[in-house]
């Protein structure tokens, strides 16, 4: 290489020590490098590479070997400093400046410089200087290859600060702020390289700002750009952005915030009613305010009064604010109310303001609208009250206001009825020209409340108040009585008569004239000097004291007021009631029979007053005097009386009959059905008939009849009463009655009854009975409780008559209270037995006993009978009865007990008859009972193979009554019934004894059967030493136990070498096989057992191969192999115990020796001190007593005394 001409491109650079020592450099080359160095200052950069800090960067060095030839060496410069060099040849040599040794590497193919962990100080212009051996003329790489390396550092943060220096977070909202206010902010980009470009934007518009400032610290720039911007409406809903653009970041970094900008409203407008509205219409006024932020506060005014929906329920204000896209609000408020006349010509104003107007002290913006309301007339009448006499002139005034004011119609009302103002003989005015109404001559019919109603094009209006016109006239009266109904004479009560005003004006009576049977009794008040107590009284009241039969009159009255005397009232009769006479009581039959019926009849000679026929006839005659006689027979409507008490039903029935006479109906068609309307009767108005039904024509004298349904007192029937309006010819004063009983289909056969008196019944002194009110009472059925006294009396509204009483005698035919059961079972070993029967019979009857139909004689010593006549039992309702007990005298029976075969018989209890019934009898079968005996099973032993089902086993036993059976296995009931049926396959656990238990109420008996479950045997092999021989024992477990065995050896090819059956000796379940001692390999011995069921599974044992040493050892140890296992265990335990004892003794000796050694040391110390620590003779008896103490030596002067010795001294 030293003879080669070298040319290199680039500038002269210092040579390394290695290059200086190995390569001579000509002077021309040095000059060339010098000029190249001078020329490099003005050389241009070939490429620019940017890379982020801390990353790796690759700087390429392009080498064109075709144009420039073979490369000799390569140098890398950073600015003017060489940082790396590479000498090419047989062995490439690379050198890197120590400062860059860890981060810079030079690579070839391709040639490049790799800088790791890029730092800011690495930014510079790098020169790749190449030197070729023989440069070609075509080579154009004389100035080297220059690369500008730029180190990029992304900003650590971009932060926006407000005027106070507080940080504004990205995406946050600043404010609130008002328009025309100045927004000041600062955008700072920290720690970045190269110098960033910072700008402020609002949307797409770049904002005008000052120039940014840049501070360079440690190679990193911190740039700041301030913003001072006057806010306007254009900034609404806009983001203020700080945009940072730099080569160190891929995209433009945007940090932004928005301003909560508050602005004034731009417009207000009110709309709704364009021209006018009508009263009662819903008015909606809408106020729109736009362009405000925040939304405005809105207030409605009626002229100068604030409108509030809280103060007026009929007014509603709906306000909503809608946010627009620019952030402003469109506020819309609706004022909703019903138009009235009070809003006519009123100005409605909408006023709005927000915080911007308030801060700048500006007036609220507003908009107004004048409302015109059309409404109907509002009417007022006067005067409020007018009092006039008949034939006087009265003026009724009417005033009004309306919009429009012209009237289309005028109407006057009296008591809400339209007044005919066209009757000019009676009225004047009352029209659109003269609204007031004049009554020319007042009458009674003019009394009332007058109102005025006016109409215009919008509607009509009626006066809120009315004129009360009062016209006075003479009274019309009626008689009222308190008490209203009939009066009992026995009460000696008082009756007050009232002269009640039916029609009068004024209604207060100042004088009253009282009449009895049309004769003047008294005129009240009576202010004569002799009767001052009748002067200052209410003349409309007349008191009748201590009412008796002498007050039986028709009373009437006349009334007087300011208008004069009125007409006399209708007559009103005062009724006086008195009680019926004594009752008479009889019954049939005279002697009652149990469970049959007896009928009691009650009668009276004096029915008292009111007597029903007389009462109705009298009222009917009075009504006929006042009404015209009808041309046709009246159609009588009828009613149903339901759910009433008996006395209420009677009263309602009487009231209904009176109602028929008072309200007869006429009809030309006799077949027409008429439904009447119930009215209150004169006598009993409180009892009102409830229902109506169709009429029934019985074709009796072609008359129409009325069917009345009364409340039934027995569930078996209904009581119906028929009433006809036609009077009998022989007695025109009394209507007829017919009584029916409804049993299924209705029967028309009638029985005429008269004088329907009412009665009350008592039973046993208790009552009266509420459900019995008729004269006849049938008691059915008759029982023990019927044997008592019965009483009855007649009653009416005047009271009750004298009571009649009888005692009822009741007899009972023979009847079994306790009869014999169909079957009577007696245990054969009982010492006593009885049969009992009890027969009810009045008069008394006798009882006898029979066996198998043959009477039992009194001299039969096997029996004796005890009898007792029992009293009646009110608790059960039984009459007097005869109790008979048949006793079995067991000592007189053979063997003093019953024979279970011969003594079964039928026994009968027989009674005699009495005056009301015949003989009766009861029979029982007398059965001798005993406990189960002779219990047997069909099979004593049952053999069954495992997995099969055994046959059934039947259990039988003798007993009375018939026994029940259950089967028991292992103390559990497995089946009921005499047959043991097992439906599941048997397994070996089911083997055992099954017990059948037969039982009845007298005892039980058992029988047993054994079920043997046979199964294949399984086997086990044990290795034992028997008679000094190594023996394999195969034990079989199966049923039956007797088993055969087969021995074999399992070979390598899984086949068996049969060894035979082995030896069974005396065991039926074991087989013995003696092992040979000369086998050389391990073997697997197999055994299989079989019994009558079949072969069981194989069992195996592995036997290891025997060695000569093992054989010899076995011979040596033959003496202990003769011992039993328990003996060996005891021997081993004894040896272990002995060893443990020796160990414990050694431990004790060691502990004692250690203690002695410590005491010897103490003795040595005490000897040096001249004071012995022990008493003489303390160690004289120890084995080492008398030995001299070894001289003390340093350990370093001697070898380890235990180094070559196995003896350790403790």
């Amino acid at each position: 290489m030293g003879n080669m001409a070298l040319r290199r491109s680039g500038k002269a650079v210092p040579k390394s020590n290695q290059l200086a020592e190995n390569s001579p450099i000509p002077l021309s080359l040095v000059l060339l490098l010098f000029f190249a160095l001078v020329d490099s200052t003005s050389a241009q950069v070939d490429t620019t590479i940017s890379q982020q800090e801390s990353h790796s960067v690759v700087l390429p060095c392009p080498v064109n070997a075709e144009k420039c030839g073979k490369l000799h060496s390569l140098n890398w410069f950073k600015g003017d400093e060489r940082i790396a060099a590479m000498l090419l040849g047989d062995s490439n040599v690379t050198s890197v400046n120590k400062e860059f040794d860890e981060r810079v590497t030079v690579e070839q193919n391709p040639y490049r410089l790799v800088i790791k962990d890029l730092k800011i100080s690495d930014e510079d212009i790098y020169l790749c200087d190449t030197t070729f051996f023989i440069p070609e003329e075509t080579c154009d790489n004389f100035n080297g290859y220059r690369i500008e390396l730029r180190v990029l550092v992304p900003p650590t943060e971009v932060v926006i600060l407000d005027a106070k220096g507080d940080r504004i977070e990205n995406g946050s909202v600043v404010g609130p702020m008002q328009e025309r206010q100045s927004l000041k902010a600062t955008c700072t980009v920290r720690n970045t390289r190269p110098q960033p470009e910072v700008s402020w934007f609002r949307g797409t518009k770049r904002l005008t700002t000052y120039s940014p400032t840049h501070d360079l610290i440690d190679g990193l720039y911190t740039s700041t750009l301030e913003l001072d911007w006057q806010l306007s409406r254009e900034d609404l809903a806009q983001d203020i952005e700080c945009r940072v653009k730099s080569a160190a970041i891929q995209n433009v970094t945007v940090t932004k915030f928005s301003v909560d900008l508050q602005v004034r409203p731009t417009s207000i407008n009110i709309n709704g009613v364009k021209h006018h509205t009508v009263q009662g219409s819903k008015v909606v006024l809408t106020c729109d305010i736009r362009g405000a932020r925040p939304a405005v506060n809105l207030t409605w005014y009626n002229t100068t009064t604030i409108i509030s929906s809280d103060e007026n329920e009929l007014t509603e204000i709906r306000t909503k604010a809608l946010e627009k896209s620019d952030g402003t609000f469109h506020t819309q408020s609706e004022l909703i109310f019903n138009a009235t006349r009070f809003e006519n010509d009123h100005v409605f104003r909408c006023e709005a303001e927000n915080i911007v107007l308030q801060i700048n002290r500006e007036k609220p913006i507003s908009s107004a609208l004048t409302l015109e309301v059309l409404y109907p007339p509002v009417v007022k009448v006067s005067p409020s009250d007018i009092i006039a006499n008949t034939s006087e002139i009265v003026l009724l005034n009417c005033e009004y206001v309306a919009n429009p004011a012209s009237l289309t119609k005028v109407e006057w009302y009296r008591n809400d009825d339209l007044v005919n103002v066209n009757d000019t003989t009676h009225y004047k005015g009352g029209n659109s020209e003269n609204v007031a109404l004049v009554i020319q001559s007042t009458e009674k019919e003019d009394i009332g409340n007058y109102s005025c109603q006016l109409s215009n094009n919008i509607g009509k209006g009626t006066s809120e108040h009315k004129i009360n016109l009062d016209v006075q006239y003479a009274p019309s009266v009626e008689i009222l009585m308190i008490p209203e109904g009939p009066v009992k004479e026995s009460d000696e009560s008082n009756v007050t008569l009232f002269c009640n005003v039916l029609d009068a004006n004024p209604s207060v009576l100042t004088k009253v004239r009282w009449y009895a049977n049309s004769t003047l009794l008294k005129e009240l008040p009576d202010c004569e000097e002799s009767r001052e107590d009748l002067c200052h009284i209410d003349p409309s009241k007349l008191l009748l004291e201590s009412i008796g039969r002498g007050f039986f009159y028709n009373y009437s009255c006349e009334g007087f007021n300011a208008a004069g005397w009125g007409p006399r009232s209708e007559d009103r009769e005062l009724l006086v009631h008195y009680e019926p006479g004594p009752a008479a009581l009889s019954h049939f039959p005279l002697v009652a029979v149990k469970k049959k019926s007896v009928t009691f009849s009650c009668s009276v000679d004096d029915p008292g007053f009111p007597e029903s026929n007389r009462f109705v006839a009298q009222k009917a005659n009075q009504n006929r005097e006042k009404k015209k006689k009808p041309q046709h027979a009246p159609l009588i409507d009828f009613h149903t009386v339901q759910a009433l008490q008996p006395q209420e039903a009677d009263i309602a029935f009487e009231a209904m009959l009176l109602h028929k006479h008072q309200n007869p109906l006429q009809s030309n068609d006799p077949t027409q059905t008429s439904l009447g309307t119930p009215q209150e009767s004169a006598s009993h108005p409180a009892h009102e008939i409830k229902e109506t039904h169709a009429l029934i024509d019985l074709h009796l004298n072609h008359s129409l009849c009325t069917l009345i349904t009364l409340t039934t007192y027995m569930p078996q029937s209904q009581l119906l009463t028929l009433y006809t309006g036609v009077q009998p010819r022989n007695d025109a004063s009394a209507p007829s009655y017919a009584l029916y009983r409804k049993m299924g289909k209705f029967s028309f056969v009638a029985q005429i009854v008269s004088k329907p008196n009412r009665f009350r019944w008592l039973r046993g002194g208790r009552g009266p009975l509420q459900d019995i009110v008729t004269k006849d009472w049938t008691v059915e059925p008759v029982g023990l409780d019927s044997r008592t006294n019965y009483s009855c009396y007649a009653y009416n509204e005047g009271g009750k008559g004298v009571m009649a009483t009888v005692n009822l005698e009741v007899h009972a035919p023979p009847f079994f209270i306790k009869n014999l059961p169909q079957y009577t079972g007696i245990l054969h070993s009982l010492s006593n037995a009885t049969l009992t029967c009890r027969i009810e019979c009045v008069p008394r009857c006798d009882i006898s006993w029979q066996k198998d139909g043959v009477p039992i004689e009194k001299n039969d010593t096997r029996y004796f009978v005890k009898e007792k006549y029992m009293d009646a039992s009110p608790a059960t309702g039984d009459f007097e009865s005869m109790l008979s007990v048949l006793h079995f005298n067991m000592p007189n029976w053979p063997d003093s007990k019953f024979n279970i075969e011969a003594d079964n018989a039928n026994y009968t209890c027989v009674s005699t008859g009495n005056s009301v019934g015949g003989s009766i009898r009861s029979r029982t079968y007398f059965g001798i009972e005993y406990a189960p005996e002779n219990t047997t099973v069909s099979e004593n032993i049952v053999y069954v193979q495992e997995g099969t089902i055994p046959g059934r086993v039947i259990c039988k036993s003798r007993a009375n009554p018939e026994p029940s059976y259950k089967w028991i296995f292992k103390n559990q009931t497995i089946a009921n019934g005499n047959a043991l049926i097992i439906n599941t396959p048997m397994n070996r656990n089911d083997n055992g004894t099954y017990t059948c238990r037969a039982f009845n109420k007298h005892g039980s008996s058992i029988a047993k059967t054994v079920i043997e479950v046979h199964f294949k045997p399984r086997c086990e092999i044990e290795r034992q030493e028997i008679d000094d021989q190594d023996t394999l024992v195969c034990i079989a477990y199966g049923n039956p136990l007797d088993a055969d065995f087969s021995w074999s050896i399992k070979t390598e090819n899984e086949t068996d070498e049969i060894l035979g059956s082995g030896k069974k000796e005396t065991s039926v379940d074991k087989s013995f096989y003696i092992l040979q001692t000369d086998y050389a390999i391990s073997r697997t011995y197999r055994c299989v057992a079989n019994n009558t069921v079949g072969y069981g599974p194989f069992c195996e044992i592995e036997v290891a191969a025997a060695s000569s040493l093992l054989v010899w050892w076995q011979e040596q140890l033959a003496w202990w192999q003769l011992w039993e296992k328990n003996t060996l265990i005891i021997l081993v335990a004894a040896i272990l115990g002995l060893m443990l004892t020796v160990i414990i003794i050694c431990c004790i000796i060691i502990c004692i020796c250690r203690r002695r050694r410590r005491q010897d040391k103490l003795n040595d110390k005490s000897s040096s001190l001249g004071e012995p620590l022990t008493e003489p003779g303390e160690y004289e008896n120890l084995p080492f007593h008398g030995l001299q103490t070894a001289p003390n030596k340093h350990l370093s002067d001697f070898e380890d005394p235990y180094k070559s010795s196995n003896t350790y001294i403790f």
Side-chain angles (χ1 to χ4, degrees), residues 638-657 689-691 693 706-715 717-723 737-742 746 753 756 758 773-774:
F638 70 93
H639 305 272
T640 303
V641 181
Q642 292 179 328
L644 298 177
Q645 294 297 326
Q647 64 272 21
E648 294 176 333
D650 293 339
I651 295 173
F653 174 59
E654 181 181 294
M656 186 278 305
L657 294 179
I689 310 302
K690 301 298 181 183
E691 294 185 22
H693 294 277
T706 301
L707 182 65
I708 300 173
T709 305
L710 293 177
T711 305
T712 176
Y713 307 121
M714 297 176 62
S717 64
Q718 280 186 324
L719 192 64
L720 307 178
T721 301
L722 186 68
Y723 170 70
Y737 302 91
L739 183 65
Y740 299 87
R741 186 174 296 276
K742 182 178 180 182
F746 188 82
V753 286
R758 292 171 290 179
V773 295
T774 57

Side-chain angles (χ1 to χ4, degrees), residues 177-243:
M177 302 180 70
Q178 287 77 38
E179 60 178 328
R180 302 175 190 171
Q181 190 175 350
S182 179
L183 172 64
K184 294 182 180 182
T186 302
C187 181
T188 302
V189 183
R190 295 175 178 167
N191 303 325
T192 184
R193 186 179 181 86
Q195 179 177 299
E197 179 183 347
V198 186
S199 57
W200 286 97
F201 280 83
R202 184 194 65 202
T204 58
K205 179 181 178 181
R206 183 164 184 168
L207 303 181
T208 303
T209 61
Y210 301 104
S211 298
T213 61
H214 304 282
D215 297 330
L216 182 61
I217 302 174
D218 296 332
L220 297 178
Y221 291 93
T222 296
S223 302
T224 303
L225 180 61
E226 296 182 354
L227 174 65
D228 189 356
W229 184 256
Q230 185 176 7
L231 296 173
S232 65
R233 188 175 293 272
E234 296 178 355
D235 296 315
L236 287 167
Q238 296 288 337
D239 288 334
I240 306 299
E241 301 176 353
C242 173
R243 298 184 183 181

Side-chain angles (χ1 to χ4, degrees), residues 254-273:
V254 178
T255 303
K256 61 184 178 179
F257 66 92
S258 60
V259 180
D260 182 7
L261 184 58
Q262 297 177 341
V263 296
R264 299 167 175 78
T266 57
S267 64
I268 183 170
N269 183 33
I270 187 172
N271 55 71
V273 179

Side-chain angles (χ1 to χ4, degrees), residues 844-1064:
R844 179 174 176 172
C845 55
D846 296 326
I847 298 177
S848 62
W849 292 88
Q850 297 177 356
K851 177 181 180 182
D852 292 331
V854 177
I856 298 176
E857 300 296 337
K858 293 183 178 180
N859 57 2
D860 191 340
T861 60
R862 294 178 301 169
Y863 308 95
F864 63 91
V865 179
K866 291 184 178 181
E867 293 183 343
K868 181 180 180 181
Y869 193 66
M870 308 291 291
D871 294 332
S873 175
T876 59
D878 296 329
F879 282 71
E880 289 79 1
S881 59
M882 178 64 70
L883 175 65
S884 178
V885 181
L886 176 65
H887 291 265
F888 291 81
N889 192 8
M890 298 308 300
N892 293 337
W893 287 72
D895 298 330
S896 299
K897 64 179 182 179
F898 293 109
N899 187 292
I900 61 176
E901 299 292 343
D903 290 335
N904 295 292
N906 289 309
Y907 286 84
T908 306
C909 170
V910 183
S911 77
T912 61
N914 63 6
S915 60
V916 291
S919 174
I920 59 175
R921 63 180 56 210
S922 176
R923 185 177 65 179
T924 183
Y925 180 77
F926 192 80
I928 309 303
E929 298 181 350
Y930 50 93
E933 59 185 17
N934 299 331
T935 303
T936 60
V937 293
S938 60
E939 299 288 342
N940 291 326
I941 301 178
V942 178
Y943 297 99
V944 61
Q945 289 189 6
E946 186 177 25
T948 62
I949 297 175
R952 67 174 61 190
V953 179
I954 304 301
C955 182
K956 295 182 179 179
S957 182
R958 179 187 179 191
N960 187 25
E962 285 296 325
S964 300
Y965 300 88
K966 65 170 59 175
W967 287 88
I968 301 172
F969 178 64
K970 293 181 179 180
N971 297 324
Q972 292 185 353
T973 300
I974 60 173
N976 292 313
N978 67 328
L980 174 62
I981 302 174
I982 300 177
N983 296 321
T984 58
M986 301 290 285
N987 57 52
R988 60 192 66 185
N989 295 328
D990 297 329
N991 191 78
T993 301
Y994 290 75
T995 303
C996 169
R997 180 174 178 266
F999 61 94
N1000 62 9
K1001 64 182 180 179
H1002 299 300
S1004 64
S1005 176
I1006 63 172
K1008 297 181 179 180
T1009 182
V1010 177
I1011 297 181
E1012 286 276 351
V1013 181
H1014 289 177
F1015 54 90
K1016 298 176 181 180
R1018 65 176 180 84
C1019 63
E1020 293 181 359
I1021 300 177
E1022 295 181 357
R1023 189 175 180 180
Q1024 299 178 3
E1025 187 73 24
I1026 302 176
D1027 297 333
D1028 298 334
Q1029 292 180 330
D1030 193 4
T1031 306
L1032 298 181
V1033 181
C1034 183
I1035 305 173
Y1037 301 94
N1039 193 12
L1041 292 176
D1042 191 5
D1044 296 329
F1045 297 87
S1046 176
W1047 288 90
S1048 62
I1049 298 176
K1050 185 177 181 181
T1051 61
E1052 295 180 354
N1053 56 1
E1054 298 298 330
T1055 60
D1056 293 341
E1057 178 183 344
I1058 305 301
L1059 300 178
S1061 61
K1063 296 181 180 181
K1064 295 186 65 175

Side-chain angles (χ1 to χ4, degrees), residues 681-700:
S681 67
S683 60
H684 302 290
H687 299 281
E688 192 174 283
I689 310 302
K690 301 298 181 183
E691 294 185 22
T692 59
H693 294 277
L695 298 177
I696 297 178
D697 186 2
L698 297 180
H699 303 287
L700 299 174

Side-chain angles (χ1 to χ4, degrees), residues 612-652:
S612 299
N613 290 339
R614 171 190 171 191
F615 172 76
V616 175
Q618 182 178 1
K619 287 299 178 183
N621 293 334
Q622 293 177 1
N623 291 334
R624 282 194 292 270
E625 292 177 359
K626 299 179 181 179
K627 298 182 180 180
K628 295 182 179 179
K629 185 177 181 180
Q631 297 178 357
H632 304 281
L635 294 177
I636 308 299
D637 60 339
F638 70 93
H639 305 272
T640 303
V641 181
Q642 292 179 328
L644 298 177
Q645 294 297 326
Q647 64 272 21
E648 294 176 333
D650 293 339
I651 295 173

Side-chain angles (χ1 to χ4, degrees), residues 555-793:
Y555 294 89
S556 60
C557 66
E558 291 179 356
F560 177 83
N561 64 359
W565 287 99
R568 186 156 60 94
S569 68
E570 294 183 358
D571 290 340
R572 180 73 180 271
E573 184 180 19
L574 176 60
L575 298 179
V576 181
H577 291 175
Y578 63 94
E579 67 277 2
L585 179 58
S586 62
H587 62 88
F588 181 83
L590 296 178
V591 177
V593 180
K594 181 181 179 180
K595 295 186 179 179
K596 293 186 178 181
S597 63
V598 60
T599 301
F600 296 90
S601 296
C602 188
S603 60
V604 291
D605 294 332
D606 182 6
F609 185 85
E611 187 270 319
S612 299
N613 290 339
R614 171 190 171 191
F615 172 76
V616 175
Q618 182 178 1
K619 287 299 178 183
N621 293 334
Q622 293 177 1
N623 291 334
R624 282 194 292 270
E625 292 177 359
K626 299 179 181 179
K627 298 182 180 180
K628 295 182 179 179
K629 185 177 181 180
Q631 297 178 357
H632 304 281
L635 294 177
I636 308 299
D637 60 339
F638 70 93
H639 305 272
T640 303
V641 181
Q642 292 179 328
L644 298 177
Q645 294 297 326
Q647 64 272 21
E648 294 176 333
D650 293 339
I651 295 173
F653 174 59
E654 181 181 294
M656 186 278 305
L657 294 179
L658 179 61
H659 173 70
K660 301 307 173 188
H661 288 282
Q662 292 178 340
N663 300 280
L665 302 177
Q666 297 182 3
S667 175
N668 296 328
D669 186 2
T671 62
Q672 179 181 0
T673 299
S674 173
L675 300 179
T677 301
Q679 298 179 2
E680 292 187 355
S681 67
S683 60
H684 302 290
H687 299 281
E688 192 174 283
I689 310 302
K690 301 298 181 183
E691 294 185 22
T692 59
H693 294 277
L695 298 177
I696 297 178
D697 186 2
L698 297 180
H699 303 287
L700 299 174
N701 299 325
H702 301 287
S703 62
L704 293 177
C705 305
T706 301
L707 182 65
I708 300 173
T709 305
L710 293 177
T711 305
T712 176
Y713 307 121
M714 297 176 62
Q716 292 83 0
S717 64
Q718 280 186 324
L719 192 64
L720 307 178
T721 301
L722 186 68
Y723 170 70
T724 177
V726 178
Q727 306 298 328
R729 295 180 181 178
N730 56 355
D731 186 5
S733 62
S736 62
Y737 302 91
L739 183 65
Y740 299 87
R741 186 174 296 276
K742 182 178 180 182
M743 294 289 188
K745 187 176 180 180
F746 188 82
S747 174
F748 291 100
V749 179
Q751 175 185 1
I752 304 299
V753 286
S754 60
K755 298 182 180 180
N757 295 315
R758 292 171 290 179
F759 299 89
R760 281 285 183 264
W761 293 85
L762 289 84
R763 182 173 182 170
R766 292 175 299 191
L769 304 179
Q770 297 298 322
D771 54 346
I772 310 298
V773 295
T774 57
K775 60 172 288 191
D776 296 325
W777 178 23
T778 300
V779 177
E780 183 180 8
V782 174
L784 180 62
D785 58 343
S786 302
R787 187 192 288 175
T788 183
N789 56 38
Y790 293 82
S791 305
C792 77
Y793 61 87

